[in-house]
Amino acid sequence: MHYVSTRADQAPSQSQQPQQFSDILLGGLAPDGGLYLPEHYPQVSGAELDAWRRLSYADLAFEILKKFATDIPAADLKALTAKTYTKAVYRNARAGENAADITPLRVLEENLVKGGSTTLILQALSNGPTLAFKDMAMQLLGNLFEYTLAKTGAELNIFGATSGDTGSAAEYAMRGKKGIRVFMLSPHKKMSAFQTAQMFSLQDPNIHNIAVEGVFDDCQDMVKAVSNDLPYKARQKIGTVNSINWARVVAQVVYYFRGYLAATTSNEQKVSFTVPSGNFGNICAGHIARMMGLPISKLVAATNENDVLDEFFRTGVYRVRKSSETYHTSSPSMDISKASNFERFVYDLVGRDSARVKALFAKVDTHGGFDLSGKPGSDGDEFKLVAKYGFKSGKSTHKDRLDTIRDVADDYGITIDTHTADGIKVAREHMEANVPMIVLETALAAKFNETILDALGVDAERPNGFENIEDLPQKFVVMDTDVAKMQAYIAAHTGL
């Protein structure tokens, strides 16, 4: 399997050096500023789906990943997935759920409607070490990085940005890993107290937390600026774990297959997924699963008040907000107004025309967005093709979150986090008869206790080991958005 940049001037088969999975594993952006995608999406047969229904999560991950990581020996890849996806790693399951299932499903409601019934299902993705769905990919990424670096004796300096959950997931996956340092940017004082404590309380010498005076998009822009400085990136051995990293996206494809297989009994059935969405990485994995042949009816993007993606899927206009226009909300991991992974979907939407993609995203930089509505003066009419990819969307507000958290607690006896509440609110607007709707859980409620207390009047339950995390000593530095200063800081701590 070869990989192509969304902005490539030539196909990988015409390239002097075709890129394979291991070639792009440690990086983020391609040298031309684009994002990597496979030259083609491998297809999954009905016979494979039938056989996969009987597999453990680790074995399912191996079967899917081997279609993309063709340059990693099968035995090695199988050992890596077996090491990653264990009930010991994903042990924070709710009462009544089996941790060995890794991503257990919980049916929330079934209702009789005209023509059949509707079913709303929650897929637990937050049972890993940092209580967020990011652990599903990040734990594998940590093991893949260590495996790859050990073969060459190389080292890697991970430079990333987080709006709350990526940072802790990356740091817990990489702490103590030989040859790896982590430099993680986060928006200063804009994460929950729990999220902040998870990251800043780590004292490992290879972990460096940097609180940036700005919003998440400022942090993300700094990561892109450093990634585009190719001489610096090479000299400092910079890699990324943000959702632009292809390995993270493809690892997330696995739980779409798992959710589908667990919710159905035959391949003639379809399901839909609702995905709380900010950077478009999670739902991008769903798009890839659907392109591989997984029988998905709808992919519903649920946004908060930062509704850039909802606006596009309603109107065809992609309009990036400025930092001053980005709301600080009670679902802060989605406080994003420039969706980094959206370029991967646009590449498919415009027929994999890399010249079009390059022009459209150049316009994002110069004019703050683009318009594919087909209206006079627009940049194209591809919005009319969105429906064939199954995308729908919706928006949720702070009041919606509080109401949904209360409803779910009253009706189903479980406490959900704020982002998952956004998902459930929007999912209810897109239910259809005889097509189960699976909502992907974002995190456990304990990570956003301030809002849970506001909604329910009681603290969210915490898994063992997290009782007093906010009281631990914290290690971090505060910096402004000066890229040159950031580069100097990294260089001073790598010695390269």
Side-chain angles (χ1 to χ4, degrees):
M1 173 67 75
H2 291 149
Y3 289 85
V4 61
S5 166
T6 52
R7 304 186 191 184
D9 292 326
Q10 56 185 352
S13 56
Q14 299 171 302
S15 172
Q16 294 298 311
Q17 291 184 308
Q19 300 290 290
Q20 296 192 80
F21 184 86
S22 296
D23 298 320
I24 65 171
L25 171 64
L26 303 179
L29 293 175
D32 57 21
L35 300 178
Y36 287 112
L37 277 172
E39 189 176 15
H40 64 273
Y41 293 118
Q43 296 303 292
V44 174
S45 68
E48 284 179 304
L49 285 177
D50 287 337
W52 291 356
R53 291 181 183 277
R54 299 185 292 273
L55 298 182
S56 67
Y57 193 96
D59 287 344
L60 176 64
F62 166 69
E63 292 295 334
I64 293 169
L65 290 168
K66 77 177 184 181
K67 293 177 177 291
F68 294 94
T70 54
D71 56 330
I72 296 179
D76 292 356
L77 186 59
K78 190 158 190 173
L80 287 166
T81 59
K83 177 183 178 181
T84 302
Y85 296 112
T86 70
K87 65 180 181 181
V89 173
Y90 297 91
R91 63 182 179 275
N92 296 304
R94 288 187 174 92
E97 294 177 349
N98 184 1
D101 290 341
I102 308 300
T103 63
L105 300 188
R106 177 186 290 260
V107 176
L108 297 182
E109 62 183 50
E110 293 181 279
N111 296 305
L112 292 176
V113 297
K114 186 176 180 180
S117 63
T118 59
T119 307
L120 183 65
I121 299 171
L122 182 66
Q123 185 171 5
L125 300 179
S126 306
N127 298 338
T130 71
L131 316 183
F133 83 95
K134 306 288 177 76
D135 290 322
M136 294 305 305
M138 206 67 77
Q139 287 293 310
L140 177 67
L141 210 59
N143 290 328
L144 277 168
F145 280 7
E146 189 173 48
Y147 164 82
T148 302
L149 294 170
K151 289 177 69 174
T152 60
E155 58 184 288
L156 177 70
N157 293 308
I158 293 168
F159 185 44
T162 184
S163 55
D165 290 329
T166 292
S168 57
E171 291 175 357
Y172 279 71
M174 306 297 169
R175 61 188 303 198
K177 297 282 188 189
K178 187 177 180 181
I180 299 177
R181 302 180 191 89
V182 178
F183 297 86
M184 188 60 61
L185 310 185
S186 59
H188 189 37
K189 295 184 178 179
K190 290 184 172 63
M191 299 186 294
S192 75
F194 189 103
Q195 288 176 309
T196 302
Q198 270 194 310
M199 291 174 57
F200 294 179
S201 64
L202 292 181
Q203 304 295 322
D204 304 69
N206 71 323
I207 303 297
H208 303 272
N209 280 302
I210 304 155
V212 174
E213 293 177 322
V215 298
F216 170 74
D217 291 322
D218 296 317
C219 301
Q220 189 161 253
D221 286 345
M222 294 176 80
V223 171
K224 286 188 174 181
V226 171
S227 293
N228 283 323
D229 185 342
L230 299 184
Y232 179 88
K233 182 180 179 182
R235 186 169 64 253
Q236 292 297 327
K237 306 182 189 304
I238 298 290
T240 183
V241 292
N242 271 55
S243 57
I244 56 175
N245 181 292
W246 169 248
R248 259 193 67 184
V249 176
V250 76
Q252 292 174 319
V253 170
V254 178
Y255 53 69
Y256 283 88
F257 277 86
R258 180 65 160 199
Y260 171 81
L261 295 170
T264 61
T265 55
S266 81
N267 303 336
E268 283 66 51
Q269 296 171 275
K270 286 191 172 185
V271 304
S272 292
F273 288 90
T274 296
V275 188
S277 301
N279 225 5
F280 205 77
N282 196 356
I283 202 166
C284 183
H287 165 65
I288 292 162
R290 194 174 186 272
M291 296 294 283
M292 292 172 69
L294 190 65
I296 295 174
S297 175
K298 295 176 186 173
L299 287 166
V300 184
T303 74
N304 63 15
E305 292 89 338
N306 297 296
D307 57 353
V308 173
L309 294 172
D310 180 44
E311 182 178 29
F312 176 81
F313 286 116
R314 285 186 294 102
T315 68
V317 176
Y318 180 61
R319 182 174 60 90
V320 171
R321 280 35 159 192
K322 298 174 184 175
S323 297
S324 59
E325 299 171 320
T326 301
Y327 297 102
H328 178 41
T329 76
S330 51
S331 49
S333 297
M334 287 153 46
D335 290 348
I336 297 169
S337 291
K338 188 184 288 183
S340 284
N341 275 284
F342 189 54
E343 183 169 332
R344 286 186 162 114
F345 170 65
V346 172
Y347 180 67
D348 285 337
L349 183 64
V350 300
R352 296 201 148 207
D353 183 340
S354 55
R356 283 287 312 286
V357 171
K358 190 181 294 187
L360 289 172
F361 282 88
K363 193 169 182 187
V364 171
D365 293 334
T366 58
H367 292 78
F370 53 78
D371 181 353
L372 298 181
S373 68
K375 294 178 180 178
S378 67
D379 303 296
D381 63 353
E382 284 86 358
F383 179 61
K384 67 186 180 185
L385 303 176
V386 164
K388 83 171 187 176
Y389 292 98
F391 278 98
K392 297 287 185 180
S393 67
K395 173 183 174 180
S396 174
T397 66
H398 179 68
K399 182 180 183 302
D400 294 326
R401 284 188 280 283
L402 294 180
D403 290 344
T404 304
I405 289 167
R406 292 184 189 114
D407 288 347
V408 170
D410 290 344
D411 295 345
Y412 316 131
I414 62 170
T415 306
I416 56 170
D417 86 288
T418 51
H419 310 76
T420 305
D422 289 330
I424 289 177
K425 184 267 182 182
V426 173
R428 286 170 164 164
E429 300 167 358
H430 293 278
M431 306 282 281
E432 56 185 319
N434 305 319
V435 179
M437 175 64 81
I438 301 174
V439 177
L440 298 188
E441 182 183 56
T442 300
L444 292 189
K447 299 195 77 166
F448 305 95
N449 192 57
E450 298 92 333
T451 307
I452 302 305
L453 197 56
D454 191 12
L456 303 178
V458 295
D459 290 320
E461 183 181 354
R462 295 191 173 194
N464 292 334
F466 293 95
E467 292 84 1
N468 300 300
I469 193 169
E470 292 94 339
D471 297 331
L472 296 174
Q474 297 188 0
K475 183 186 76 168
F476 66 100
V477 298
V478 179
M479 297 184 69
D480 60 26
T481 56
D482 188 314
V483 173
K485 288 181 182 177
M486 187 65 62
Q487 288 178 308
Y489 177 86
I490 293 171
H493 287 82
T494 64
L496 297 175

